[in-house]
Structure formats: structure tokens, C-alpha cells
Amino acid sequence: MIAHYVAVLALVAVTLPASCVANNTMTKNLKVLVSSNDFPASGLKVLEEHFTVVQTKYLNFGEEGRTLAKEDLLKLIPGSSALVWLSHHPISKELLDRAGPQLKLVATVSAGYNHCNLDELKARGIKLSNTPNVLASAVAEIAVGLMLGAARRFTENLDQVHKGDWEIGFDKVLGQDIRGSTVGIIGLGGIGQAVVKRLAGFEVSKFVYTGHREKPEAKALGAEFVTQDQLLAQSDFIVLAVPLTNETKHMINKDTLGKMKSNAIVINVGRGDLVDQEALYDALKNKQIYAAGLDVTTPEPLPKDHKLLTLPNLFVLPHIGSATERTRSDMAVLAANNVVNALTGKPLLTPVNL
């Protein structure tokens, strides 16, 4: 009996790899294009086990992405079965036309997908995946950092340090507490929930949230569902954690800013265009609200002479929400596994409904 069992194990050990090799051989003729030269090695490894991977030699961000990378991608994309998109530069009709009809998937390595031309993808029958949830913890940490930075006046205080001219006194450059505050979350998805969890030790008085519907997870988090107007009127901190859509574009504007408390602090970790920056500038300049903390702006990068950067009550970071080694690696692997599933007939792990 033992000899028979050993023989069966040996047979499995021989035949199973051969089957896997055959499957890999079948998919190796499929071409996958990676849009930037800084895609993490962990994701490349997954892709290269299954497909022929082509990667641009350029960075698909900033001016290099708009020029050199774009031209290179147009040359490389014909015949691609999947596109791994690592950038906020738009996926254009020109790129999709050049790819050809065999393109099955665009896997964006981001939670947001407003750059992905949803109507065009839907019309062509091309699937779309994103990388939500795996970046929620890292982005939530940045949201809390922005809350602290804006409330405790980091911009002004760091300016003192750089100048070597500190304001000394018991009543100088006083900030606001998170303790005892009402925190409003616009969009209690993965990131919004992660923000609430991370604030649990800050002695927040009340969490409120708004969105299309009540979230079942909210009860355990102690968050109350309210209307947007109620949230704006009640909150000391207002955290934007929603995707950019036609509905949410400029949701923070002159009208909504006018409904906030004078000590309100706006935090944006979503997309820059959630906020009408002209209206925000006026509200901050006139001290209509207390402060703002932004990890996202329009445009990116924000020009160094932009008038927002003249405001002492604005704390800005350069879109670093998901910028940790672990998180970026997790995003890359998730995007790669979405490609594997899409091109081997399996359901996407994180599909975007078109």
C-alpha cells in the first residue's frame, strides 16, 4: 500500500508540472504591455511566468510620460492582449486603436480609474480592473497625517524651522485638536473605513459619513450615516475618500464650503478635481474655513508658484498616499493577477463595472 501511494505521488509530481508548463506555453504567445519602467519586480515576476512581457524604457509620469513614454507605448502596444497601466496619464483612443482588437484588459495600478476612458473601453468590450483595498491602509495613514499637519499648522511651523526664527510664547501658533472633534468621511469605502479605524485612539467625539447608501460596516465603526449637508454643517474635519466621477467633480465648491464651520479642515486623499481649487483658495484666504490638507491637486505637480502654496493654512503633500514599498508591491501583484485571470478565462479579482 505504501509503495502504491509513493508511486501515485511520483506520478503527480511528474505530470502536474508538465501540465502547468503546457498551460504556460499556451499563454506565452500572449503579449502584455507594461506602461512604465518603474513597475515593481514582484508584479513583473507574476506576468513573466505566464506571458511575453513588453515594458517601455521610460517613466510614464510627468513630462516624460507625456512625450517619450507616449511615443514608445504607441510603438510597443500593437498586438497586446493586456495593458498594465502605471500612470495617471489618460488611456487615449489613439492608444486603444493602435493596440488592436485582441486587447482584452486594461489593468490600472491604482484605485482611481478616471483616466481610463470608461466609455471607450465599454464600447470596445475591453475589461478594466483596478487595485482598491490593498492601498487603503497606506492612504488612510496619509489622511491622518494630513489631519495632523493641517490642524497643528505644520506649514507655518516648518517655515519657522527653515527660517530659524521661532515664535516663542504660550499662545503662539496654536492649532486644533482631533480629540473631541467630529470627523466627517465623504465615502466610507475601504479608505474611509481605514481612516476611522486609525483614528480610534484619538478620542474623536463622533464619526459621521455620507454616500449613496448606508454601509453595513459603519455600525461596528461607530459611524453615523447623515446627509451631505448635515456632514458639512457638523464636521470639524471633512475627509474626501471618493473616486472622481462626473457626480463628484468639484463636490467641494463655493456652495459646499459655505456650509462648513469656520473651524472646518478639509482633507483630500481622493483626486484633485474633487475640489474646486479657486473656491478653496478663497475660503482659506478669507479664513472662511480653518485649513486644508491635500495629497492630491490639479494639476500634479502643482507649480511652485501656484497661489495655493502662498497660504499658511494649507498643508500639501505630493500624492504619496500609496507610496510605501509594501503597498506598491501589493498593487503590482494584484494588477498582474488580474491580467492572469483575464487571459486564462477566470473572473477578475477586482473588476471595474463599465
Side-chain angles (χ1 to χ4, degrees):
M1 177 68 80
I2 293 175
H4 174 72
Y5 181 65
V6 171
V8 170
L9 286 178
L11 181 62
V12 170
V14 171
T15 59
L16 200 57
S19 171
C20 291
V21 169
N23 287 338
N24 280 353
T25 301
M26 290 173 63
T27 58
K28 276 291 185 180
N29 64 348
L30 299 178
K31 175 179 169 182
V32 175
L33 175 61
V34 177
S35 80
S36 191
N37 66 8
D38 55 350
F39 186 61
S42 54
L44 277 177
K45 182 179 178 182
V46 173
L47 293 172
E48 288 171 345
E49 286 174 358
H50 297 271
F51 312 111
T52 298
V53 179
V54 179
Q55 184 176 17
T56 179
K57 60 186 176 181
Y58 299 109
L59 185 72
N60 193 17
F61 289 88
E63 189 59 30
E64 187 171 330
R66 280 187 287 270
T67 54
L68 297 174
K70 180 182 177 182
E71 289 304 311
D72 200 40
L73 290 170
L74 286 168
K75 293 175 185 175
L76 296 174
I77 200 171
S80 297
S81 295
L83 175 59
V84 178
W85 195 255
L86 205 67
S87 175
H88 292 137
H89 291 315
I91 295 172
S92 65
K93 185 177 183 296
E94 182 183 15
L95 272 170
L96 296 175
D97 285 342
R98 192 71 66 92
Q102 77 296 318
L103 185 65
K104 297 290 188 289
L105 173 74
V106 171
T108 182
V109 193
S110 60
Y113 45 83
N114 54 292
H115 56 290
C116 291
N117 204 334
L118 305 189
D119 291 340
E120 196 67 37
L121 293 178
K122 184 176 181 179
R124 295 168 186 253
I126 300 170
K127 294 179 180 178
L128 176 65
S129 66
N130 65 340
T131 58
N133 303 327
V134 292
L135 50 67
S137 293
V139 176
E141 289 168 5
I142 287 296
V144 174
L146 288 168
M147 291 173 68
L148 290 167
R152 299 300 297 272
R153 300 169 67 173
F154 277 16
T155 299
E156 295 167 85
N157 283 303
L158 285 170
D159 187 51
Q160 289 186 48
V161 173
H162 294 148
K163 290 179 177 177
D165 183 18
W166 296 17
E167 291 190 43
I168 306 299
F170 202 64
D171 62 348
K172 303 298 184 184
V173 201
L174 302 183
Q176 292 190 180
D177 290 292
I178 295 178
R179 178 186 58 171
S181 68
T182 294
V183 175
I185 311 287
I186 299 182
L188 196 71
I191 293 171
Q193 291 171 34
V195 171
V196 174
K197 290 175 183 176
R198 276 148 187 78
L199 290 173
F202 281 78
E203 301 176 43
V204 171
S205 177
K206 187 178 182 181
F207 290 105
V208 295
Y209 74 99
T210 191
H212 287 132
R213 64 191 67 86
E214 292 191 50
K215 296 278 187 174
E217 301 89 351
K219 185 175 181 180
L221 295 172
E224 177 188 348
F225 184 68
V226 296
T227 67
Q228 181 171 295
D229 281 353
Q230 288 173 324
L231 183 145
L232 296 174
Q234 294 177 22
S235 298
D236 303 297
F237 294 88
I238 297 165
V239 180
L240 307 180
V242 291
L244 178 62
T245 65
N246 290 335
E247 179 187 1
T248 61
K249 183 175 182 179
H250 286 185
M251 68 186 311
I252 300 303
N253 51 50
K254 182 177 181 179
D255 179 55
T256 52
L257 285 162
K259 296 176 180 179
M260 296 179 190
K261 298 164 70 172
S262 60
N263 69 308
I265 297 173
V266 174
I267 304 297
N268 189 7
V269 291
R271 286 288 183 267
D273 270 341
L274 296 175
V275 176
D276 178 344
Q277 290 180 174
E278 286 292 326
L280 179 65
Y281 174 83
D282 290 340
L284 292 171
K285 179 75 172 176
N286 299 325
K287 295 184 169 51
Q288 182 182 346
I289 64 171
Y290 186 80
L294 310 177
D295 186 43
V296 286
T297 60
T298 304
E300 292 180 357
L302 199 64
K304 62 182 181 180
D305 59 351
H306 196 285
K307 64 182 182 180
L308 278 173
L309 298 179
T310 66
L311 296 169
N313 52 346
L314 178 68
F315 184 55
V316 183
L317 294 174
H319 203 155
I320 59 169
S322 65
T324 70
E325 290 185 11
R326 175 178 176 178
T327 299
R328 292 284 168 85
S329 177
D330 288 347
M331 292 167 70
V333 170
L334 176 55
N337 281 321
N338 272 314
V339 173
V340 172
N341 281 21
L343 300 186
T344 57
K346 298 174 184 175
L348 294 176
L349 298 170
T350 50
V352 175
N353 295 321
L354 300 177

